[in-house]
Amino acid sequence: MTAQPENFPAPPAQAAAQLLAQLRADRRADSWVPAFEQDWARALDDARHSFSLAPVHDVIRTWRARLAAAPAVDAFLAGGCDDSDGIDLDQVLGTRP
């Protein structure tokens, strides 16, 4: 018997480590890894001051969305489409608490 159900989400630190491994394997690793690390450090600091894990969960959710959207963005750009009217990721994800 385990202490938590099988479908229970991974702890934030474990989820961040898995996400960081995926980011390092991506072709955008040179820019994405430092950006993720900066976002993660800021979220940890915010969590320490607020006693809430919401900031770290927000970072994980945002970066997972970026990774999930990357193939569609690549296909869009490879199709020769005009990307000058881009949209901010916050508009796609909506407002976060």
Side-chain angles (χ1 to χ4, degrees):
M1 183 170 187
T2 61
Q4 57 189 346
E6 290 180 22
N7 61 351
F8 195 79
Q14 183 181 351
Q18 293 167 347
L19 188 55
L20 188 56
Q22 290 175 319
L23 290 171
R24 286 185 175 136
D26 193 273
R27 68 176 182 81
R28 301 164 189 84
D30 290 343
S31 60
W32 278 17
V33 169
F36 172 78
E37 289 172 340
Q38 181 180 16
D39 288 351
W40 182 250
R42 188 177 307 119
L44 285 176
D45 191 50
D46 290 347
R48 283 186 197 105
H49 289 88
S50 67
F51 299 104
S52 170
L53 290 177
V56 294
H57 286 289
D58 286 343
V59 168
I60 291 168
R61 187 182 77 241
T62 300
W63 280 95
R64 281 184 177 158
R66 284 185 179 130
L67 271 175
V73 171
D74 290 342
F76 177 81
L77 294 174
C81 297
D82 179 19
D83 67 337
S84 62
D85 63 343
I87 192 165
D88 191 278
L89 182 61
D90 287 333
Q91 290 177 310
V92 175
L93 296 177
T95 57
R96 292 174 271 169

